[in-house]
Amino acid sequence: MAALEIVMVAAAVLLLITLFMYLWQRLGLMGADHAHRSPPHKHLDIPPHDHDRLGP
């Protein structure tokens, strides 16, 4: 029974750490250099369609 309590406490601690890290990132307290963001996607060089152009 003690093993179950240890597992439950460890899970609760990991959940709290994850929650605090998420909140710190959302509030801007953790720098952007720590965020693992994907690189910007590349736009294909496709000319605009006729219906996308403004004017008559």
Side-chain angles (χ1 to χ4, degrees), residues 25-43:
Q25 183 179 7
R26 294 294 292 169
L27 293 174
L29 300 176
M30 186 165 50
D33 54 341
H34 292 287
H36 299 283
R37 296 183 181 155
S38 61
H41 61 278
K42 297 179 181 177
H43 292 278

Side-chain angles (χ1 to χ4, degrees), residues 2-55:
L4 180 61
E5 293 174 359
I6 292 172
V7 169
M8 294 296 287
V9 169
V13 169
L14 288 174
L15 182 64
L16 283 174
I17 290 172
T18 304
L19 180 65
F20 280 124
M21 287 181 67
Y22 174 75
L23 289 176
W24 285 338
Q25 183 179 7
R26 294 294 292 169
L27 293 174
L29 300 176
M30 186 165 50
D33 54 341
H34 292 287
H36 299 283
R37 296 183 181 155
S38 61
H41 61 278
K42 297 179 181 177
H43 292 278
L44 299 175
D45 292 330
I46 300 174
H49 300 290
D50 290 335
H51 63 270
D52 290 338
R53 294 184 182 148
L54 296 176

